[in-house]
Amino acid sequence: MSDGAVLHGHPEVRTTHEVHHDEHHVHHHQETFITKYVFSQDHKMIAKQFLITGMIWGVLGGLMSVIFRLQIGYPDQSFPILEQILGRWAKGGKITADAYYALVTMHGTVLVFFVLTGGLSGTFANFLIPLQIGARDMASPFLNMLSYWFFFTASIVMLSSFFVQTGPFSGGWTAYPPLSALGDASPGSKTGMDLWITAMALFVVSSLLGGLNYISTVLNMRTKGMSMTRLPLTIWALFFTAVLGVLSFPVLLSGFILLLFDRHAGTSFYLSDIYMASTQQALPNEGGSAILFQHLFWFLGHPEVYIILLPAMGMVSEVLSTNSRKPIFGYMAMVGSLFAIAILAFLVWAHHMFVSGLNPFLGSVFVLLTLLIAIPSAIKVFNWITTLWRGNIRFTPGMLFAIGFVSLFISGGLTGIFLGNSTLDIHLHDTYFVVAHFHIVMGVASFFGMFCGIYHWFPKMYGRYLNNTMAYIHFWVTMIGAYLIFWPLHYAGLAGMPRRYLDYSSWESFNQFSDLNKFISTVAMIVFAVQLMFIFNFFYSIFKGRKVVTQNPWGSTTLEWTAPIRPGHGNWPGEIPEVHRWAYDYGKDGREFIPQTEPVNPDESKH
Amino acid sequence: MITEVVSTQRKKIHPHKFTLWVAIASIIMMFAGLTSAYIVKGSLPGWSTVEIPQLFYYSTAVILLSSVSVQMALKAFKERNMALYRQLITVTAVLGIGFIVMQVLAFMQLWDRGLTMEGSSGAGQFLYIIFGLHALHVVGGVIALLVMFIKAFSSRIRNYDPVSVELASTYWHFVDLLWIYLFIFFIMSI
Ligand code: HEM
Ligand SMILES: [Cu+2]
């Protein structure tokens, strides 16, 4: 029977043959290919749709970075292959300035929003929330499906901007005006920017629909006995992520609406006193303020970095505890620190604007609030390390990525403290130091969280394991590679090397970094190649991976492992299990683990 | 199959109602963003103010009335007084459409006075966008009412479940309150 399922790529329904041969229909309602794989309302299928769309974007975004890293590493050489890929954007094998900026912009946009927000939250909130809280599906499966299709449409629109004549938007992922507001400012500010805004607006709608659903599902659909304090930390993290998104994305949307009017209706929200060199004209706009856009953008932008990070934190907590065979250390402190981070995330946005002419007194308030985030962050790190301490550690691939996450979060968090001090930031702002900081703490760390989640829950998603050898190669090369790429960039940044420049070779002072840049570009290509191997492993294992034979392969306490190996729509064939204890009874009373569904024994010790 | 099983689960407040409340919080954030943008910009040079057309006072009265009628409709529905319910829901929808028409007329008045989108910034540009976005949210509410209107008049569907009526009335009160906030905000700050 499973052969039929394998042929169709997503072997997750045990009773697949019943679906395909209508004769012996038991309780399954009619599922066609379209309702099962395309317009599915099953949260598990929607999760996979998010994941695979995110992976496609991940490859594209990574490829862009390889291309512009070639330019940074080898500014004096030409690569004929680039002309084959990019056509007139790389005439003679040398990338043009416009194309370089377009690639950097799209790289940022794609990875921040489409991979690490849509791909990460979309996948794991959908997959884990109903399974771990004991629900048949989301509060509104229909809105959930819409959420994916808005994401999909946003993806198509964003992708289409690569194929317009003037190219995709090229003013940086933060889309500051006036570059983003004036079509004449650069080629990418024309149609490319309209497509960018459209895609982002669709993306915001998708996030809002998803977030609404995640919040009301977590609060309203928990199974009997699943009190909030018995929730696994994954769910807490995904919950706070959704809250952050629902409250901050609308503000970004209002910023975009004003931007649209500035672009097309001649208003002056962000524009003032501008003389266009390209058209030799003074613009009539007056009284606008580009800083206003920065406020609106970063009011989302800073929570956004935590929207990306929190799901990773949640999954890492879960995987660390499971594979240390120890309860998570300080469960309530973990929840409390997630809460503190979520609150503080709304109060620090101006630390991205220290050099924008912000009132220095106001700046010092934001310094204080920014540095406060170090406290909950440190609590989390402390608890993760204490969970590992004297644990009975199983180095599964998921566990390795979880440990890697902790390491990266420490390294990247420390440089945040540098940047959070406005006096230092005046020197460091817009240098490679910032690039190094956020790539380590947000980019790579959240990718590690995502990989940790994929390796850990792949057996639940597809009923098969990923190949371990490839997984270990993937981990070690990515881990070492990430540090080799981003660690040295801190030094370049401290030396004042600005970000977003096409060619540094005309500066005597940065020539000392030219060999370093070659080295970094080489490592980046190797790391990218290893990600392709991971993608291969992923798709290969869906069809050919080792089959999962036990219901609970990792010896976990949480509810998803009480469902059948390949759960159908509705997750549990019979009654939804009832919950009697928290999610972290590992190594208790001489037992390796006690599932959440097991009633508390009267003479059990307290945790 | 899903809905049957879901309904056996424990729940205090209907998940759809809860979802609506979260959505309302989200919409509030959007208008909070816009009105704070207004405050930030109001202190910059080149700011110009605008005289608010009388018509907005009348539209305020209309939307307040519609809140009363939607509340009465909900009450009628719960008492299974379907004839009255149908009448009241019609009244609400008509008032809603009336509100939108009045907003558009007020915009046209302003436009005729020479307040266009072009050029230097001021309260007027914000007014068009903020009130316009609010009107769009009212349009959403009217569409919801029309759906219920059709449901109420089609004889096939007999439904005494108040959830969707409650959802619509909550949302309707929300856009009403939002309007009051926005209107007072503009009167005070101009
Ligand atoms: C102790 C914690 C942290 C502090 C104090 C901190 C501080 C800062 C500051 C002050 C900046 C602005 C630097 C500049 O542009 O000059 C910055 C940039 C950034 N941070 Fe952090 N950060 C922290 C943690 C994080 C985390 C956890 C993430 C992501 C998950 C993150 C993501 C980013 C990003 C994406 C940027 C750059 C955005 C851009 O300009 O393109 N940071 N950080
Ligand atoms: Cu920030």
Side-chain angles (χ1 to χ4, degrees), chain B residues 8 21 23 27 54 71 73 75 80 87 94 109 149 174 183 189:
Chain B
T8 64
W21 282 108
I27 298 173
Q54 278 288 300
Q71 192 58 31
K75 190 159 165 280
R80 306 231 170 148
Q87 279 170 12
V94 169
Q109 278 183 15
F149 184 81
F174 165 67
F183 193 46
S189 59

Short mmCIF file of all heavy atoms in Angstrom, two decimals, chain B residues 8 21 23 27 54 71 73 75 80 87 94 109 149 174 183 189:
data_model
loop_
_atom_site.label_atom_id
_atom_site.label_comp_id
_atom_site.label_asym_id
_atom_site.label_seq_id
_atom_site.Cartn_x
_atom_site.Cartn_y
_atom_site.Cartn_z
N THR B 8 -16.10 18.79 19.43
CA THR B 8 -16.10 18.08 20.70
C THR B 8 -15.00 18.58 21.63
O THR B 8 -14.94 18.18 22.77
CB THR B 8 -15.88 16.58 20.49
OG1 THR B 8 -14.57 16.41 19.93
CG2 THR B 8 -16.92 15.97 19.59
N TRP B 21 -11.08 39.11 17.19
CA TRP B 21 -10.49 40.07 18.14
C TRP B 21 -9.02 40.31 17.83
O TRP B 21 -8.53 41.44 17.90
CB TRP B 21 -10.67 39.59 19.59
CG TRP B 21 -12.05 39.84 20.07
CD1 TRP B 21 -13.02 38.90 20.29
CD2 TRP B 21 -12.66 41.11 20.34
NE1 TRP B 21 -14.19 39.51 20.69
CE2 TRP B 21 -14.00 40.86 20.73
CE3 TRP B 21 -12.20 42.42 20.30
CZ2 TRP B 21 -14.88 41.87 21.07
CZ3 TRP B 21 -13.08 43.44 20.64
CH2 TRP B 21 -14.40 43.16 21.02
N ALA B 23 -7.64 39.99 14.93
CA ALA B 23 -7.60 40.76 13.69
C ALA B 23 -7.86 42.23 13.98
O ALA B 23 -7.22 43.12 13.41
CB ALA B 23 -8.63 40.23 12.70
N ILE B 27 -5.65 45.50 13.04
CA ILE B 27 -6.10 46.69 12.31
C ILE B 27 -5.81 47.94 13.13
O ILE B 27 -5.40 48.97 12.59
CB ILE B 27 -7.61 46.57 11.99
CG1 ILE B 27 -7.88 45.36 11.11
CG2 ILE B 27 -8.12 47.83 11.30
CD1 ILE B 27 -9.34 45.05 10.87
N GLN B 54 -18.34 69.75 6.75
CA GLN B 54 -19.50 69.44 7.60
C GLN B 54 -19.99 68.00 7.42
O GLN B 54 -20.44 67.36 8.36
CB GLN B 54 -20.65 70.38 7.21
CG GLN B 54 -20.54 71.75 7.85
CD GLN B 54 -20.85 71.69 9.32
OE1 GLN B 54 -21.93 71.30 9.70
NE2 GLN B 54 -19.90 72.04 10.16
N GLN B 71 -26.99 46.24 16.44
CA GLN B 71 -27.18 45.65 17.76
C GLN B 71 -28.61 45.13 17.90
O GLN B 71 -28.83 44.03 18.42
CB GLN B 71 -26.89 46.72 18.82
CG GLN B 71 -26.76 46.19 20.23
CD GLN B 71 -25.66 45.14 20.36
OE1 GLN B 71 -24.67 45.18 19.64
NE2 GLN B 71 -25.87 44.17 21.24
N ALA B 73 -30.46 44.19 15.46
CA ALA B 73 -30.59 43.01 14.60
C ALA B 73 -30.11 41.76 15.33
O ALA B 73 -30.75 40.70 15.27
CB ALA B 73 -29.77 43.22 13.32
N LYS B 75 -30.08 41.26 18.49
CA LYS B 75 -31.06 40.93 19.52
C LYS B 75 -32.25 40.19 18.89
O LYS B 75 -32.68 39.15 19.37
CB LYS B 75 -31.52 42.21 20.21
CG LYS B 75 -32.35 41.99 21.45
CD LYS B 75 -32.34 43.25 22.33
CE LYS B 75 -33.43 43.19 23.37
NZ LYS B 75 -34.76 43.57 22.83
N ARG B 80 -35.08 34.97 17.73
CA ARG B 80 -35.63 34.25 16.58
C ARG B 80 -36.74 35.03 15.89
O ARG B 80 -37.65 34.45 15.30
CB ARG B 80 -36.17 32.87 17.00
CG ARG B 80 -35.12 32.08 17.72
CD ARG B 80 -34.98 30.72 17.14
NE ARG B 80 -33.81 30.07 17.71
CZ ARG B 80 -33.69 28.78 17.91
NH1 ARG B 80 -34.70 27.99 17.57
NH2 ARG B 80 -32.59 28.28 18.38
N GLN B 87 -35.24 42.94 8.48
CA GLN B 87 -35.40 44.38 8.27
C GLN B 87 -34.21 45.16 8.80
O GLN B 87 -33.65 46.02 8.14
CB GLN B 87 -36.65 44.87 9.01
CG GLN B 87 -37.92 44.61 8.25
CD GLN B 87 -39.14 44.88 9.12
OE1 GLN B 87 -39.03 45.45 10.20
NE2 GLN B 87 -40.30 44.46 8.65
N VAL B 94 -27.88 49.45 4.47
CA VAL B 94 -28.15 50.71 3.76
C VAL B 94 -27.42 51.86 4.43
O VAL B 94 -26.79 52.69 3.76
CB VAL B 94 -29.68 50.97 3.71
CG1 VAL B 94 -29.96 52.39 3.23
CG2 VAL B 94 -30.34 49.95 2.82
N GLN B 109 -15.67 67.10 -2.11
CA GLN B 109 -15.71 68.52 -1.71
C GLN B 109 -14.31 69.06 -1.46
O GLN B 109 -13.94 70.13 -1.93
CB GLN B 109 -16.52 68.68 -0.42
CG GLN B 109 -18.01 68.73 -0.62
CD GLN B 109 -18.71 68.96 0.71
OE1 GLN B 109 -18.09 69.34 1.71
NE2 GLN B 109 -20.01 68.74 0.73
N PHE B 149 -27.33 39.07 4.58
CA PHE B 149 -28.59 39.49 3.97
C PHE B 149 -29.10 38.40 3.02
O PHE B 149 -30.25 37.97 3.11
CB PHE B 149 -28.26 40.77 3.20
CG PHE B 149 -29.40 41.46 2.55
CD1 PHE B 149 -30.23 42.29 3.28
CD2 PHE B 149 -29.63 41.30 1.19
CE1 PHE B 149 -31.28 42.96 2.67
CE2 PHE B 149 -30.67 41.97 0.58
CZ PHE B 149 -31.49 42.79 1.32
N PHE B 174 -16.75 47.79 15.81
CA PHE B 174 -15.34 48.17 15.78
C PHE B 174 -15.08 49.27 14.76
O PHE B 174 -14.46 50.28 15.07
CB PHE B 174 -14.45 46.95 15.51
CG PHE B 174 -13.06 47.33 15.11
CD1 PHE B 174 -12.21 47.95 16.02
CD2 PHE B 174 -12.61 47.12 13.82
CE1 PHE B 174 -10.93 48.33 15.65
CE2 PHE B 174 -11.34 47.50 13.43
CZ PHE B 174 -10.50 48.11 14.35
N PHE B 183 -11.91 60.40 13.76
CA PHE B 183 -12.53 61.69 13.55
C PHE B 183 -12.12 62.66 14.65
O PHE B 183 -11.70 63.79 14.40
CB PHE B 183 -14.05 61.51 13.49
CG PHE B 183 -14.77 62.71 12.98
CD1 PHE B 183 -14.33 63.38 11.84
CD2 PHE B 183 -15.91 63.19 13.62
CE1 PHE B 183 -14.99 64.48 11.35
CE2 PHE B 183 -16.58 64.30 13.14
CZ PHE B 183 -16.12 64.95 12.01
N SER B 189 -6.45 67.59 16.25
CA SER B 189 -5.08 67.90 15.86
C SER B 189 -5.00 68.94 14.77
O SER B 189 -3.92 69.37 14.41
CB SER B 189 -4.38 66.62 15.41
OG SER B 189 -5.09 66.08 14.33
#
